Amino acid sequence: VLVTPLDVIKTRLQAQSNPFPRGKCFVYSNGLMDHICVCENGDSKAWYKKTGHFKGTLDAFVKIIQIEGIKSLWSGLPPTLIMALPTTVIYFTCYDQLSEALKSRLGKDDEYIPVLAGSLSRFGSVTVVSPLELIRTRMQYRKLSYKQLYTCVRSKVATDGWFSLWRGWSSTVLRDVPFSAMYWYNYECFKKMMCKEVGAHEPTFFIAFTSGAASGSIAAVITLPFDVVKTHRQTELWESETLKIPQRDCTSTWAVMRKIVAKNGITGLFAGIIPRLFKVAPACAIMISTYEYGKSFFSHLNEKMTQ
């Protein structure tokens, strides 16, 4: 909710300098989740098609509020929340439960616990939510009733089998599992180090916020190539669906990587590093600090109620 305006402004600035042609798609991400939007027709009044004459980020921020209203800064948020809520619930619940289970077996001070718990919990959440992402993608480019959606999914399963519902799962796992492993390992390290420095027994809101931002930034930079590949694969899927362009032969993650390097060099795998950091760092910081604070609050509340 807090970082969505950053991506709305970024997309609007991109759209005025390089307008999206009819049928072309682009990836929309608020740092926590991402989805794809498509320009359906030339006279569309969708938020990403609106013309603007913005001089910069601050100018865009002020003019969007004045001309279109403050609600426009949260355009595209509902489809993100539809995916973010179940993913986050599964992810954090699994992480906490796995951490406790591993601590009882490996010991509380084992430094590999965050890596194992983070990797497995993200693997599980991505696997469970992947079919929902496919359904959401279908609903985005074509307005369907639930009955039509059910018929569409059923025909896809009948044609391509149940595994077709997990299309794009591999590139998502390659991006999110290493991200989670590095994120949780660095987060726990930073948290312990900062708690030791200030002499705190449990992390304060500031410690969790700072540790979350730092660990999220490190993980975002290292896993960026897989994020670029995922974007390319999603875009190709959209082109085949909306423009009826046949998909390229190279559909594997490594084949797409080689193609990007051949076309744009090694720097092509790190395209968009600055906007990704601007979104991921605050998103990770806000999410983990709010979660830690909430967990601590309810833990203390439960103690008081049981006494």
Side-chain angles (χ1 to χ4, degrees):
V1 171
L2 292 173
V3 300
T4 293
L6 293 173
D7 206 68
V8 171
I9 290 169
K10 179 184 74 72
T11 306
R12 293 289 295 276
L13 287 169
Q14 287 176 334
Q16 71 172 1
S17 58
N18 185 23
F20 300 115
R22 181 181 177 181
K24 192 64 179 175
C25 56
F26 65 94
V27 175
Y28 175 92
S29 170
N30 70 352
L32 178 63
M33 297 293 293
D34 52 36
H35 60 277
I36 293 185
C37 297
V38 66
C39 300
E40 295 173 359
N41 49 59
D43 60 354
S44 172
K45 293 182 179 179
W47 64 275
Y48 51 84
K49 292 280 288 183
K50 288 177 182 175
T51 55
H53 300 284
F54 309 126
K55 296 175 183 176
T57 303
L58 185 61
D59 185 55
F61 183 80
V62 173
K63 283 182 178 176
I64 288 171
I65 293 175
Q66 287 178 340
I67 299 167
E68 302 166 28
I70 198 165
K71 286 183 179 179
S72 289
L73 291 174
W74 281 271
S75 300
L77 182 62
T80 305
L81 289 177
I82 289 169
M83 290 297 297
L85 290 174
T87 303
T88 308
V89 168
I90 296 167
Y91 182 39
F92 278 101
T93 304
C94 288
Y95 179 78
D96 271 345
Q97 295 299 317
L98 284 167
S99 292
E100 291 302 317
L102 289 168
K103 281 176 184 177
S104 63
R105 289 173 176 268
L106 303 176
K108 288 186 176 181
D109 298 322
D110 195 300
E111 60 182 8
Y112 295 109
I113 288 175
V115 177
L116 290 169
S119 299
L120 291 171
S121 57
R122 177 55 80 180
F123 183 88
S125 64
V126 166
T127 303
V128 170
V129 178
S130 191
L132 293 177
E133 186 168 7
L134 181 74
I135 291 168
R136 182 195 59 174
T137 304
R138 294 261 172 200
M139 293 184 77
Q140 279 182 290
Y141 84 88
R142 189 187 305 156
K143 288 185 178 180
L144 299 171
S145 66
Y146 287 108
K147 187 177 180 180
Q148 289 172 320
L149 182 65
Y150 172 74
T151 305
C152 179
V153 172
R154 189 175 65 178
S155 64
K156 186 171 179 63
V157 170
T159 307
D160 303 323
W162 283 101
F163 286 109
S164 63
L165 295 178
W166 278 266
R167 188 176 185 177
W169 171 84
S170 59
S171 56
T172 308
V173 165
L174 283 170
R175 180 193 66 175
D176 289 358
V177 170
F179 181 97
S180 294
M182 286 181 281
Y183 172 77
W184 285 108
Y185 177 79
N186 288 318
Y187 173 73
E188 295 292 348
C189 287
F190 288 140
K191 185 174 72 173
K192 285 178 183 176
M193 184 176 68
M194 292 184 73
C195 283
K196 191 176 180 181
E197 285 290 325
V198 299
H201 294 292
E202 59 181 39
T204 61
F205 187 88
F206 176 76
I207 289 173
F209 189 93
T210 308
S211 300
S215 54
S217 298
I218 293 167
V221 171
I222 295 172
T223 60
L224 185 60
F226 295 108
D227 188 54
V228 172
V229 170
K230 185 173 186 286
T231 300
H232 274 258
R233 293 185 71 181
Q234 283 180 320
T235 304
E236 286 181 3
L237 174 63
W238 265 103
E239 288 177 347
S240 69
E241 296 278 11
T242 59
L243 301 180
K244 306 303 179 186
I245 297 173
Q247 279 197 278
R248 283 78 162 175
D249 294 332
C250 55
T251 55
S252 74
T253 300
W254 305 114
V256 175
M257 269 192 175
R258 287 196 297 270
K259 181 184 171 184
I260 293 169
V261 171
K263 187 178 180 181
N264 303 315
I266 197 73
T267 54
L269 292 174
F270 292 89
I273 189 169
I274 300 301
R276 179 161 164 79
L277 282 174
F278 269 111
K279 291 178 289 183
V280 171
C284 287
I286 292 165
M287 189 165 66
I288 193 64
S289 55
T290 307
Y291 177 72
E292 289 277 21
Y293 179 80
K295 192 165 67 171
S296 176
F297 174 81
F298 286 110
S299 177
H300 290 310
L301 186 66
N302 286 340
E303 286 179 7
K304 286 180 182 179
M305 290 176 70
T306 54
Q307 286 176 356

